């Protein structure tokens, strides 16, 4: 059954940003289903976790997992260069079937195969990003998004050409070439003969069948982070972007030039959300 790509907002369809998010999510599902060798020794697929768990081995379940930004801040170097810093991870939720469709379960146990896989991926995220380019580019996209949110939250004035360029890119972006993709499948078969009162439980195969389904996507959730001290910007004449003085200027690094009469600089905020589950 073909699966439809869904983007929020819809203008992401067909853009390089939307493509990076889709490719990263698809790679995450491939790893979870055991399509490829794990990029880090010791990591296991969802199937592997299901087989080693006595409580989950014989249970049908559905769930979703997706990329998230766990920590976001903007730091300032000694030469007044703004550097976005992010910590990313993978979230997982078991889902249950209701009258309106699949919904998140109230509680997802820490022993659930999806949760085990998500926790292992989160612990090794930076290492996976160095070994798999699609995860690396997703992290760089998160940095660029954090930097953009910081500029907006700080009310920093930028040249109108920046907005015009963004509008032109969205306007000239071709429609999504492949809005539907084949459903990702990975089937593993095993059989265990089960007897009850001297008779096979399943008279057709004599075995036991299970179904495991995985859904998800990418949701940065940057609206949870307050990246700029808004109160420090009130009453100021404004901030303007200047060119970086560094000879090797990288896209994820920006420098601001502040007017002389403004004594303070906006600083990043570390919400330290890692301690919350």
């Amino acid at each position: 059954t073909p699966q439809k790509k869904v983007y929020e907002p819809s203008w992401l369809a067909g853009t390089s940003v939307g493509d990076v998010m889709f490719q990263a999510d698809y790679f995450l599902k491939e790893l979870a289903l055991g399509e490829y060798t794990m990029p880090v020794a010791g990591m296991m697929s969802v199937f592997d976790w299901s087989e080693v768990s006595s409580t989950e081995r014989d249970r049908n379940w559905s769930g979703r997992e997706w990329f998230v930004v766990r920590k976001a801040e903007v730091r300032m170097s000694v030469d007044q260069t703004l550097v976005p810093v992010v910590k990313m991870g993978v979230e997982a939720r078991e889902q249950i079937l209701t009258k309106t469709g699949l919904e998140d379960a109230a509680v997802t146990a820490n022993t659930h195969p999806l949760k085990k896989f998500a926790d292992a991926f989160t612990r090794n995220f930076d290492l996976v990003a160095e070994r798999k380019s699609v995860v690396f580019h997703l992290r760089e996209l998160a940095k660029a998004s954090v930097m953009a949110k910081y500029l907006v939250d700080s009310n920093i004035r930028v040249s109108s050409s920046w907005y015009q360029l963004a509008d032109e890119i969205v306007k000239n972006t071709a429609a999504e070439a492949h809005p539907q993709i084949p459903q990702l499948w990975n089937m593993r078969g095993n059989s265990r003969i089960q007897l009850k009162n001297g008779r096979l439980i399943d008279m057709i195969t004599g075995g036991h069948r299970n179904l495991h389904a995985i859904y998800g996507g990418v949701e940065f959730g940057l609206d949870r982070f307050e990246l700029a001290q808004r109160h420090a910007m009130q009453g100021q004449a404004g901030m303007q972007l200047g060119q970086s003085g560094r000879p090797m200027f990288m896209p994820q690094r920006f420098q601001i030039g502040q007017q002389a009469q403004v004594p303070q600089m906006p600083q990043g905020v570390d919400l330290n959300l890692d301690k919350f589950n």
Side-chain angles (χ1 to χ4, degrees):
T1 303
Q3 300 293 299
K4 183 181 179 180
K5 299 179 183 178
V6 179
Y7 297 93
E8 294 290 343
S10 59
W11 58 261
L12 285 174
T15 64
S16 57
V17 171
D19 187 59
V20 167
M21 299 175 76
F22 164 74
Q23 294 294 343
D25 176 56
Y26 202 81
F27 175 71
L28 177 66
K29 302 306 182 296
E30 289 177 320
L31 280 184
L33 292 174
E35 284 286 317
Y36 296 112
T37 303
M38 291 296 158
V40 178
M43 288 184 61
M44 297 193 301
S45 70
V46 173
F47 281 140
D48 295 331
W49 281 113
S50 296
E51 291 175 0
V52 301
S53 174
S54 58
T55 58
E56 303 292 342
R57 183 186 303 124
D58 299 329
R59 188 171 70 92
N60 295 336
W61 54 261
S62 296
R64 66 186 183 102
E65 57 184 7
W66 67 101
F67 287 109
V68 295
V69 174
R70 291 178 172 268
K71 178 180 178 180
E73 63 181 5
V74 176
R75 298 174 182 175
M76 182 175 293
S77 65
V78 293
D79 62 350
Q80 298 184 355
T81 298
L82 296 179
V83 183
V85 178
V86 299
K87 290 292 184 182
M88 299 190 65
V90 175
E91 290 285 346
R93 295 288 187 277
E94 184 178 2
Q95 294 187 303
I96 56 177
L97 184 62
T98 65
K99 294 181 179 180
T100 58
L102 290 174
E103 296 183 0
D104 287 350
V107 178
T108 300
N110 291 330
T111 57
H112 195 283
L114 267 182
K115 189 68 167 60
K116 290 281 191 178
F117 174 81
D119 290 344
F121 200 109
T122 299
R123 287 194 303 270
N124 297 283
F125 193 97
D126 291 336
L127 183 56
V128 175
E130 296 302 321
R131 297 179 177 180
K132 298 297 179 180
S133 61
V134 66
V135 181
F136 172 84
H137 288 299
L138 180 68
R139 188 178 60 183
E140 295 303 298
L141 174 60
K143 291 180 181 179
S145 301
V146 168
M147 192 74 253
K149 187 178 190 302
Y150 178 84
L151 298 179
V152 172
D153 289 352
S154 301
N155 295 322
I156 295 178
R157 294 202 303 254
V158 298
S159 172
S160 60
S161 60
W162 286 37
Y163 299 102
Q164 294 172 0
L165 177 61
D167 292 338
E168 291 177 2
I169 292 176
V170 174
K171 181 180 178 180
N172 297 327
T173 298
E176 176 68 51
H178 304 285
Q180 292 186 334
I181 58 173
Q183 187 170 359
L184 180 63
W185 287 92
N186 189 334
M187 300 181 66
R188 290 189 182 183
N190 58 67
S191 61
R192 293 188 302 275
I193 297 177
Q194 300 184 31
L195 298 176
K196 185 176 182 179
N197 298 327
R199 302 184 61 181
L200 295 176
I201 294 179
D202 190 333
M203 296 300 296
I204 299 177
T205 64
H208 189 82
R209 292 172 292 178
N210 297 317
L211 173 65
H212 299 154
I214 303 175
Y215 309 91
V218 179
E219 183 180 6
F220 286 158
L222 295 182
D223 54 337
R224 297 179 293 114
F225 300 97
E226 186 71 23
L227 297 175
Q229 294 179 350
R230 295 173 182 264
H231 63 277
M233 305 300 297
Q234 296 177 356
Q236 296 182 359
M239 305 284 294
Q240 291 183 339
L241 284 179
Q243 295 182 352
S244 173
R246 293 175 174 266
M248 296 297 292
F249 178 64
M250 300 300 290
Q252 71 270 23
R253 301 177 66 88
F254 296 85
Q255 185 174 10
I256 59 174
Q258 191 171 20
Q259 299 178 0
Q261 68 270 25
V262 182
Q264 293 180 320
M265 300 288 287
Q267 300 293 329
V269 178
D270 181 6
L271 299 182
N272 194 22
L273 296 182
D274 290 340
K275 62 183 180 180
F276 298 100
N277 186 359

